Amino acid sequence: MADRRKPEVAVIGGGVIGTSIAYQLAKKGVEVTLLEKGLLGGGASNAAAGMLGAQVESDFPGPMVELCLESRRMFPALSRELKERTGLDIEWNGSGLLRLAGDSEEANQLEERGRWQRERGERAEWWNRETLRRREPDLDSSLVGGLYIPDDSQVSAPRLVQAFSQGATLLGAELLEGVEVQGGVVDRGRVLELTTSIGRFSPGSVVLAAGAWAGFLAGELGLDLPVVPVKGESLAVRPTRPLFDRTLFGNGCYLVPKADGRVIIGATEIRQDFTPGVSGEAIQTLLAEAFRLVPELREAEWLRSWSGVRPGTVDGLPYLGAAPGFTNLWIAGGHFRNGILLSAVTGKGMADLITENPVTTFTPFSPERVMVSMKGG
Ligand code: FAD
Ligand code: GLY
């Protein structure tokens, strides 16, 4: 029996990123222990709306949109694979996403976005006011149009975390909840030990996947990793009848219809805020925006509200790769608004990197870029 205190790889953080990496490593036969200070998914991941918004969240072309598209493409097969292995349905829904324009300026911006995305080879269709009214009759008639993105899809974020976690466990990984990593012993670029709330671990390699908290832990290991926490608040309602099938994305909120009839309405963005809970102002603003887009939502049943802290970065790109100056420390974080979407490519790519398969698509995301520039001033 393997010594669980000396796994080949220790993953710190049991969000969608840590559990996806643990799952992919376990699939390769690597002995993994994941350490989560709270509950699996209890950070940002279970707070997410579950959009796989590779196109809607991308304002311009570049390596980030390429990574997002690659990850989005992986989901249909990943969903089948997780169902076969765990019996869990992650509720992948391919009915597309509609980004709405309230005035002609927004319409022009969206039409421009549609143009570059079509040039890139993706599908993006402009719907004018008449088309919008015909296809989505319950939307407010003042909306001037929308960019329909048929391939941006969605999943249930909590189910995805659960499926990665169960998949990893079934493959032999050990996922420990309620275990906080407090620091470590580092010698000549190697993490020799992790100190935790239940004692010491001596892993062969360490993956830092601690979301918005990764910067604190990196500091304990002697690294300066700039992570920008961005709190998000959301709520859920249940309309009296189905009002729309597609995810709607407006200027001040998005509305994500779920398999069980709920609609998730999100989300605020508050930088440098780790506080739990949801303010009355957030609820008021999100509901007002939602009612502006779909007036009949006023009659929907109130369900609940929640919040999470997104892990942002200084340049908007995630940190994926080896920690500079270390031989056995890896960083997977900073996924900001797209961690659910990017979990597929991150898990697979990080497992490949750790098992010494180069992943060229990760080159633009190497953590070295911020650490080197910080050292150089
Ligand atoms: P987390 O889920 O926060 O996981 C990190 C984990 O590390 C936590 O569970 C934490 O407890 C643990 N940890 C921290 N420190 C330690 C320690 N010292 N020891 C042990 N464990 C530790 N993304 C999308 O793609 N689509 C969406 O629709 C979407 N909607 C969102 C809506 C909201 C309201 C929010 C807040 C986010 C949304 N996101 C969305 C973003 C997405 O949720 C994040 O990018 C993603 O969850 C980040 O995953 P993570 O695993 O890095 O972080
Ligand atoms: N991607 C949606 C959010 O972060 O709120």
Side-chain angles (χ1 to χ4, degrees):
M1 173 92 178
D3 183 349
R4 290 305 192 174
R5 294 284 173 135
K6 295 182 180 175
E8 282 174 74
V9 178
V11 177
I12 307 175
V16 75
I17 299 301
T19 56
S20 175
I21 295 169
Y23 172 67
Q24 295 293 348
L25 282 170
K27 259 175 74 178
K28 286 172 172 281
V30 176
E31 197 187 286
V32 188
T33 297
L34 182 147
L35 306 168
E36 164 54 52
K37 70 176 175 177
L39 297 175
L40 295 168
S45 298
N46 284 355
M51 290 178 287
L52 307 179
Q55 288 171 250
V56 79
E57 294 270 9
S58 298
D59 295 332
F60 43 81
M64 180 64 170
V65 69
E66 297 305 319
L67 193 73
C68 289
L69 290 168
E70 185 182 347
S71 204
R72 189 184 69 188
R73 280 193 294 273
M74 294 167 75
F75 268 89
L78 178 65
S79 156
R80 287 192 296 274
E81 177 184 315
L82 289 170
K83 180 84 196 287
E84 274 160 29
R85 282 186 191 273
T86 67
L88 289 169
D89 180 0
I90 64 168
E91 295 172 8
W92 180 83
N93 171 338
S95 61
L97 186 149
L98 189 53
R99 179 135 187 188
L100 299 165
D103 57 33
S104 56
E105 195 185 328
E106 271 172 38
N108 290 340
Q109 283 164 2
L110 290 183
E111 286 198 71
E112 175 49 30
R113 176 190 295 249
R115 252 190 301 280
W116 74 255
Q117 294 191 344
R118 282 191 298 277
E119 276 164 22
R120 159 68 191 67
E122 298 307 314
R123 297 196 292 167
E125 226 176 273
W126 178 250
W127 289 0
N128 62 20
R129 192 191 289 265
E130 290 67 40
T131 312
L132 194 61
R133 293 206 72 171
R134 210 173 45 250
R135 306 225 168 121
E136 290 290 358
D138 288 306
L139 300 198
D140 190 71
S141 54
S142 68
L143 291 162
V144 304
L147 187 68
Y148 176 51
I149 306 171
D151 298 317
D152 269 356
S153 39
Q154 59 144 314
V155 296
S156 158
R159 281 287 191 92
L160 181 61
V161 175
Q162 215 187 339
F164 280 139
S165 305
Q166 279 196 28
T169 305
L170 289 168
L171 289 161
E174 188 169 47
L175 276 57
L176 301 176
E177 292 182 312
V179 178
E180 182 171 15
V181 179
Q182 294 153 337
V185 178
V186 175
D187 183 41
R188 279 165 289 175
R190 267 193 85 74
V191 181
L192 300 180
E193 263 182 19
L194 292 176
T195 37
T196 82
S197 51
I198 58 164
R200 293 163 195 273
F201 284 73
S202 308
S205 299
V206 175
V207 186
L208 186 50
W213 299 266
F216 304 130
L217 261 178
E220 294 298 325
L221 300 173
L223 269 175
D224 207 345
L225 181 70
V227 178
V228 182
V230 184
K231 178 174 170 176
E233 297 151 296
S234 289
L235 55 95
V237 297
R238 191 184 302 282
T240 48
R241 64 182 177 93
L243 296 171
F244 46 89
D245 294 333
R246 303 172 178 99
T247 293
L248 306 177
F249 206 105
N251 210 0
C253 76
Y254 49 75
L255 307 169
V256 188
K258 291 298 182 182
D260 58 6
R262 286 175 310 136
V263 172
I264 293 182
I265 303 175
T268 58
E269 278 195 9
I270 312 168
R271 287 165 79 90
Q272 301 295 345
D273 189 351
F274 277 100
T275 57
V278 179
S279 71
E281 189 188 1
I283 293 176
Q284 187 186 35
T285 310
L286 290 171
L287 283 178
E289 288 294 331
F291 297 162
R292 203 173 56 78
L293 299 179
V294 188
E296 204 180 315
L297 277 174
R298 284 189 168 79
E299 283 149 47
E301 178 193 357
W302 167 264
L303 295 175
R304 69 181 189 98
S305 63
W306 64 88
S307 69
V309 187
R310 304 175 186 89
T313 63
V314 284
D315 57 5
L317 305 180
Y319 303 137
L320 303 171
F326 281 75
T327 53
N328 69 341
L329 178 61
W330 303 87
I331 297 174
H335 294 78
F336 189 37
R337 293 178 58 94
N338 291 305
I340 304 302
L341 166 64
L342 289 172
S343 62
V345 77
T346 301
K348 171 85 173 53
M350 290 305 298
D352 281 345
L353 276 181
I354 293 162
T355 52
E356 293 177 354
N357 291 311
V359 179
T360 49
T361 47
F362 278 11
T363 310
F365 308 105
S366 165
E368 221 165 53
R369 72 186 188 276
V370 285
M371 293 170 165
V372 167
S373 67
M374 280 180 46
K375 278 181 200 148

